C-alpha cells in the first residue's frame, strides 16, 4: 500500500519531470538524447521519498513525455527511468534528508548512487533493451547510452544536489 504522502510525491514528481523533460529539453548533440532537468527532479524525489516514489515518478514522468512527443513511446527508456528512480531511492534512508542532515557525507553518497545508477541504467539496461526490443544499431544505442549517462550524471550532480540541499534545509533536524 502506498501512503498518501508517497502518492502525492509521485504525482508532483512525475508532473515536474514531464514538464521539464517535455518543454525544457536541450538537445545533447546525439540523436534521441537530451539534457533534461527532469532527471534531477526524479533523483531528488527518489532520494527524499524512497524507491517506490522514485520508480513510479520515473515510470509515469517518462511515459507522459513520450506519450506527448512526436516519437513513439520508447519503453526501453521509460523502464530505464523507473529503474533509475528505484536505484537512487534504494539508498534514501542513508541520505538523512527528512531529518535535515544532508551534509557533505550524504551528498557524496547520493552522488555515488546516482552515478552508478545512471551508468547501469543508460549504458547497460536502456541500450540492451533498445537492441532487443527495437533492433536499433549497436553503435547508435551505445553512443546514446554513454551520452545520456554523462549528461544525466552532470545534471543530477549539480541540480539534483542543490534541490536536495534546499529541501533538507527546510526540514527540522532531529
Amino acid at each position: 500500500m502506498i501512503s498518501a504522502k508517497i502518492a502525492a510525491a509521485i504525482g508532483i514528481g512525475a508532473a515536474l519531470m514531464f514538464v521539464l523533460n517535455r518543454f525544457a529539453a536541450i538537445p545533447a548533440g546525439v540523436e534521441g538524447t537530451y539534457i533534461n532537468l527532469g532527471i534531477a527532479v526524479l533523483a531528488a524525489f527518489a532520494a527524499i521519498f524512497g524507491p517506490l516514489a522514485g520508480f513510479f515518478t520515473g515510470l509515469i514522468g517518462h511515459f507522459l513525455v513520450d506519450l506527448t512527443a512526436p516519437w513513439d513511446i520508447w519503453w526501453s527508456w521509460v523502464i530505464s527511468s523507473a529503474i533509475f528512480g528505484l536505484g537512487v531511492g534504494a539508498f534514501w534512508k542513508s541520505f538523512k534528508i527528512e531529518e535535515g542532515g544532508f551534509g557533505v557525507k550524504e551528498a557524496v553518497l547520493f552522488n555515488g548512487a546516482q552515478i552508478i545508477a545512471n551508468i547501469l541504467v543508460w549504458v547497460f539496461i536502456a541500450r540492451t533493451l533498445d537492441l532487443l526490443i527495437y533492433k536499433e544499431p549497436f553503435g547508435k544505442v551505445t553512443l546514446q547510452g554513454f551520452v545520456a549517462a554523462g549528461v544525466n550524471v552532470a545534471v543530477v550532480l549539480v541540480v539534483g544536489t542543490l534541490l536536495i540541499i534546499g529541501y533538507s534545509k527546510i526540514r527540522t533536524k532531529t
Side-chain angles (χ1 to χ4, degrees):
M1 184 83 175
I2 295 178
S3 70
K5 178 181 176 181
I6 299 302
I10 291 167
I12 293 166
L16 288 170
M17 184 180 169
F18 164 69
V19 169
L20 290 170
N21 286 4
R22 183 67 183 93
F23 301 109
I26 302 163
V30 172
E31 176 191 353
T33 58
Y34 299 89
I35 299 168
N36 286 313
L37 296 177
I39 193 74
V41 169
L42 171 55
F45 273 66
I48 295 165
F49 299 105
L52 279 178
F55 180 86
F56 286 110
T57 296
L59 184 77
I60 295 166
H62 199 130
F63 173 78
L64 292 173
V65 170
D66 282 5
L67 183 66
T68 61
W71 55 82
D72 290 330
I73 297 170
W74 280 80
W75 288 106
S76 51
W77 286 55
V78 171
I79 292 165
S80 295
S81 287
I83 294 171
F84 174 78
L86 179 72
V88 172
F91 298 96
W92 72 299
K93 290 195 185 265
S94 301
F95 304 142
K96 300 179 183 174
I97 298 165
E98 284 293 319
E99 294 87 16
F102 189 77
V104 172
K105 182 176 119 182
E106 291 79 18
V108 169
L109 180 60
F110 165 71
N111 280 293
Q114 70 93 356
I115 289 167
I116 292 167
N118 265 309
I119 292 169
L120 177 67
V121 164
W122 304 114
V123 173
F124 295 104
I125 296 172
R127 186 169 65 130
T128 301
L129 290 174
D130 277 350
L131 291 167
L132 294 174
I133 297 170
Y134 302 108
K135 310 293 187 233
E136 289 288 311
F138 180 80
K140 175 185 173 185
V141 297
T142 299
L143 181 59
Q144 287 176 328
F146 278 93
V147 169
V151 297
N152 287 347
V153 162
V155 168
V156 175
L157 180 71
V158 176
V159 180
T161 303
L162 290 174
L163 285 171
I164 294 171
I165 289 170
Y167 180 82
S168 180
K169 297 281 185 209
I170 65 170
R171 304 302 303 163
T172 304
K173 288 190 181 197
T174 57

